[in-house]
Amino acid sequence: MIFKLFPIVAMLAMGAGAPAEKPAAASSPKDIKMMHDLARCVVNRQEGQVRRLLAMDYRTNAYRGATYRMAKSASGCASFLGSLRMSNVLMAGSLAEAMLAKNGGGVALSRRLAYDATAPAVEARDEGEYLGLCVARTMPEAVEALLRAAPESAEEKAGVATLAPKLAPCVQAGASARINRHGLRAILALASYRLTTLNSADAPRPAKG
């Protein structure tokens, strides 16, 4: 099992099952902050479309295309566009964060991620989602603290530093993980959104064999 945390390049690679994105050029702190502002604007104006987008299988070209088109055509959010460089995974993670914040109903995220034995289990679709679901389920308070932190803040960096040494048990046996701070935040937001939306009961289990 290999886990490496890369703090600079905005990319996500989790074995053969990862979303098929080309590694992007490094995203600047300005890009990251602008992306989160854009996501909040899009969710406020097009929540239904965002909900439909996040329900899609993110491994598909259709999902990647829909993410790009939504960011480009966001009505009333054009001021955030232009030179923004961002991978689809990071953009989708920001949208998931914005949805979690808007629809929390005043309930702490860690409580919404709590185990519910009556709810159906969520099956991880690839190694990246396996990691995100496992961490969100087993370390909900740390995930909540990370997602509550402002992007590019000292609190965000501290949140990643808290989580990083504890991630290895959530990497599938035989898999390798290369992930940066922004990628980790994105997959945890996406996993948290999926768990709270579907009210899942179980953390993912490693595949047998």
Side-chain angles (χ1 to χ4, degrees):
M1 180 184 297
I2 303 172
F3 180 83
K4 296 181 180 180
L5 189 67
F6 289 77
I8 301 175
V9 180
M11 62 178 290
L12 176 64
M14 291 286 298
E21 286 193 65
K22 294 180 181 179
S27 299
S28 70
K30 180 180 178 181
D31 288 332
I32 296 295
K33 293 175 182 178
M34 189 183 300
M35 175 190 67
H36 282 270
D37 289 341
L38 172 62
R40 287 191 293 271
C41 180
V42 171
V43 166
N44 284 334
R45 293 174 178 270
Q46 303 180 34
E47 182 175 348
Q49 292 184 36
V50 174
R51 194 179 302 278
R52 289 189 290 273
L53 170 70
L54 294 178
M56 296 171 65
D57 187 336
Y58 62 76
R59 297 169 295 180
T60 64
N61 287 329
Y63 176 89
R64 289 187 288 273
T67 303
Y68 178 78
R69 289 191 298 274
M70 173 171 288
K72 291 288 288 183
S73 65
S75 176
C77 298
S79 61
F80 295 112
L81 302 178
S83 61
L84 178 64
R85 295 184 304 176
M86 197 58 53
S87 77
N88 290 321
V89 170
L90 298 188
M91 187 66 229
S94 294
L95 291 169
E97 274 197 54
M99 290 289 283
L100 286 167
K102 185 176 182 181
N103 298 302
V107 179
L109 177 60
S110 56
R111 286 188 57 193
R112 289 184 278 156
L113 291 173
Y115 179 85
D116 180 357
T118 66
V122 167
E123 181 179 355
R125 293 171 291 196
D126 61 27
E127 292 160 352
E129 188 168 65
Y130 181 98
L131 174 66
L133 291 169
C134 176
V135 173
R137 181 61 82 209
T138 58
M139 293 178 271
E141 291 85 4
V143 171
E144 179 181 13
L146 174 59
L147 298 184
R148 189 171 57 238
E152 296 298 312
S153 66
E155 290 78 13
E156 181 192 61
K157 294 173 183 177
V160 171
T162 297
L163 281 167
K166 305 173 184 177
L167 296 179
C170 284
V171 178
Q172 281 184 308
S176 62
R178 290 168 53 89
I179 188 171
N180 75 339
R181 170 164 46 92
H182 307 129
L184 177 62
R185 181 169 182 150
I187 65 169
L188 292 178
L190 286 165
S192 297
Y193 177 80
R194 190 176 179 205
L195 286 169
T196 57
T197 300
L198 300 180
N199 197 23
S200 170
D202 237 340
R205 300 287 191 266
K208 295 182 178 179

